[in-house]
Amino acid sequence: MLPGAPAFFWSLILASCAADFSAFPEPPDVRPQGCEDQLADPEGKDFKDLTASIIIPFKNERWDHIKATVGSILHYTPNALLNEIMFVSDGTSAEATFFNEIRALSPLISFVAFPAPGEGLILAKMRAVGAASLKSKVLIFLEPHTIVNRDWIQPLLRRIRQQPRVLAMPALDVIPPENFSQYQAGNPGHWRFEWNLNLIYTNPAEMESWTADPMPSPATSGGIFAIRKDWWRKLSFYDPGMKGWGGDHVEATMKVWRCGGRIEVLPCSRIGHMFRDPVDRPYNVNVKQVIRNYARMAGTWFDEYIEDFYKVKPDAREISLGNITKQLALREHLKCKDMKWYLENVDKEMLWEKDHICIPGCRDTPGVACCENAGIRSTIDRIMPVAEYRPIAKEIHLEL
């Protein structure tokens, strides 16, 4: 914590200093054909009324990754579309805060910090939104180990213009942990959940390549997306009963799809992301706390399908969810659709997998279905046949 910081949290708008923005590996242009049509504002306003706050939570990240992330943002983002780049330090150790170094990168940068041990990622995001510039109409969440690609922000703003209640995600390309310079094009697909709420990336239609069209996604990965600030606030992100890390992407998925919005991947917006295994994270994750968050989300949103969650998350049965009365009341107030609607209209794979739920590798565990075959994923030993997959309708009737 820096000298003079209040006990609760502090926020500083930082001054400009010279910086070298060339210190990031230039990514290849991996956009599909037709993306030139995704750059213009359909209302001819040049997106000037949709300017954004970029919010980047971080904890004990490497300086070269942070610098490359900011360098790519400044290089590939028109200044007129940004109000700020907000770094949110959530209990970062003193030697890894890089306060002065981050401060020197751009006058657009603001800094919000929470002293150790931190508030937890979920609450940190909520606080950051509260501190975001009043000028910003759009919130864009990024991570501090990414490289944004050319013309990445315009397709996001364009889609938000067309669909104000969209949660828009860039297509994520791959940066291997062992070499931050090896930017690789990501495969086409979408995000979704298994029945234990494990997030996975699948390609049920077996697409061979991306097209330029926005593609509906059953879920959001939760860390990298754009959304209108007024839509965020209407949905009341996040459930304050969740703690620490994990579950925010589940809530965002359920609230957006089931309460009048939609989630999409935009293949013309590309961001390289360094995917890390749990052992490579620079911070600890409380697994029991994550399970509690997942159980709370299932208790709030799964309706009569809650037992399907417990089949593959039996340790969640004994966990206290806390009081979810306010969350259920908010769901009713927003006129959110039920879980059956979500399964039948959005996550067709999850619906198919309901009748094939099992735990790979388990042996005669009471009350638990064990898989017959080796596990393909964590809750199933087979994949829905392509012939049985029905894509999400490109236009789902939205109402509030």
Side-chain angles (χ1 to χ4, degrees), residues 32 284 356:
N284 295 322
H356 303 85

Side-chain angles (χ1 to χ4, degrees), residues 266-320:
L266 305 188
C268 291
S269 175
R270 313 295 297 210
I271 294 182
H273 175 255
M274 188 176 71
F275 291 89
R276 300 185 294 207
D277 293 327
V279 295
D280 296 321
R281 293 192 190 113
Y283 50 85
N284 295 322
V285 172
N286 186 329
V287 176
K288 288 185 178 180
Q289 197 171 71
V290 173
I291 294 174
R292 180 189 176 277
N293 287 350
Y294 284 0
R296 187 175 172 90
M297 289 298 97
T300 302
W301 293 100
F302 270 32
D303 301 333
E304 69 269 28
Y305 299 91
I306 187 69
E307 284 300 317
D308 296 299
F309 168 74
Y310 286 138
K311 282 179 185 177
V312 285
K313 213 57 155 171
D315 45 348
R317 287 185 183 274
E318 306 304 321
I319 294 177
S320 172

Side-chain angles (χ1 to χ4, degrees), residues 23-295:
F24 71 92
E26 183 178 355
D29 189 348
V30 294
R31 293 173 294 177
Q33 291 185 351
C35 286
E36 61 276 6
D37 297 331
Q38 302 286 331
L39 302 181
D41 185 342
E43 293 189 2
K45 298 178 181 178
D46 295 329
F47 306 116
K48 291 179 181 177
D49 61 329
L50 287 179
T51 53
S53 287
I54 293 178
I55 298 173
I56 307 177
F58 76 107
K59 185 167 186 174
N60 299 334
E61 296 283 341
R62 285 175 45 173
W63 166 242
D64 57 330
H65 293 168
I66 292 174
K67 186 178 181 181
T69 298
V70 175
S72 66
I73 292 171
L74 294 174
H75 185 74
Y76 287 125
T77 312
N79 283 342
L81 304 183
L82 281 185
N83 288 315
E84 63 186 336
I85 304 169
M86 180 188 294
F87 273 84
V88 186
S89 172
D90 184 41
T92 299
S93 59
E95 64 274 13
T97 301
F98 305 118
F99 177 82
N100 291 326
E101 292 89 343
I102 293 174
R103 177 177 61 184
L105 292 177
S106 169
L108 289 172
I109 290 177
S110 62
F111 202 99
V112 175
F114 302 91
E119 298 273 352
L121 180 64
I122 296 169
L123 186 54
K125 286 182 177 180
M126 294 167 68
R127 302 284 194 205
V129 172
S133 170
L134 296 176
K135 298 177 182 178
S136 297
K137 296 296 189 293
V138 175
L139 305 170
I140 299 178
F141 291 90
L142 294 182
E143 296 187 356
H145 38 267
T146 55
I147 296 175
V148 305
N149 214 317
R150 48 192 55 75
D151 295 325
W152 70 283
I153 195 171
Q154 293 94 326
L156 298 175
L157 299 181
R158 177 183 175 86
R159 192 55 177 161
I160 287 173
R161 173 77 77 203
Q162 295 169 326
Q163 294 277 0
R165 291 183 300 217
V166 71
L167 185 154
M169 296 183 293
L172 295 185
D173 298 315
V174 178
I175 300 176
E178 63 276 7
N179 191 334
F180 205 67
S181 299
Q182 290 184 351
Y183 187 114
Q184 303 166 10
N187 294 323
H190 63 212
W191 297 98
R192 52 174 295 264
F193 298 114
E194 295 187 87
W195 278 98
N196 61 358
L197 293 180
N198 183 46
L199 180 72
I200 55 174
Y201 188 76
T202 63
N203 182 8
E206 295 188 350
M207 297 180 297
E208 295 184 359
S209 60
W210 293 103
T211 69
D213 295 331
M215 189 176 76
S217 178
T220 173
S221 60
I224 300 176
F225 65 89
I227 189 170
R228 281 189 64 105
K229 187 162 58 176
D230 55 2
W231 181 224
W232 167 287
R233 288 177 171 164
K234 185 175 182 67
L235 293 175
S236 191
F237 287 125
Y238 289 108
D239 172 7
M242 289 193 295
K243 306 297 181 185
W245 183 96
D248 52 307
H249 56 319
V250 181
E251 183 185 18
T253 294
M254 294 296 142
K255 279 186 172 177
V256 172
W257 268 120
R258 291 169 57 178
C259 306
R262 59 190 297 108
I263 298 173
E264 295 178 339
V265 176
L266 305 188
C268 291
S269 175
R270 313 295 297 210
I271 294 182
H273 175 255
M274 188 176 71
F275 291 89
R276 300 185 294 207
D277 293 327
V279 295
D280 296 321
R281 293 192 190 113
Y283 50 85
N284 295 322
V285 172
N286 186 329
V287 176
K288 288 185 178 180
Q289 197 171 71
V290 173
I291 294 174
R292 180 189 176 277
N293 287 350
Y294 284 0

Side-chain angles (χ1 to χ4, degrees), residues 315-385:
D315 45 348
R317 287 185 183 274
E318 306 304 321
I319 294 177
S320 172
L321 307 184
N323 191 333
I324 60 173
T325 303
K326 289 184 179 179
Q327 294 306 305
L328 293 173
L330 176 63
R331 178 181 155 178
E332 183 177 356
H333 171 72
L334 292 172
K335 301 178 182 177
C336 303
K337 296 179 175 67
D338 59 19
M339 185 66 173
K340 184 175 185 291
W341 177 90
Y342 175 76
L343 294 173
E344 292 178 348
N345 292 277
V346 179
D347 198 340
K348 316 293 180 65
E349 294 165 272
M350 195 175 189
L351 179 62
W352 183 89
E353 290 177 2
K354 176 186 178 299
D355 297 325
H356 303 85
I357 290 174
C358 59
I359 297 180
C362 75
R363 294 288 184 271
D364 300 323
T365 304
V368 175
C370 297
C371 292
E372 297 177 3
N373 307 309
I376 294 175
R377 301 198 184 102
S378 64
T379 66
I380 201 166
D381 63 351
R382 64 202 70 187
I383 295 177
M384 178 178 61

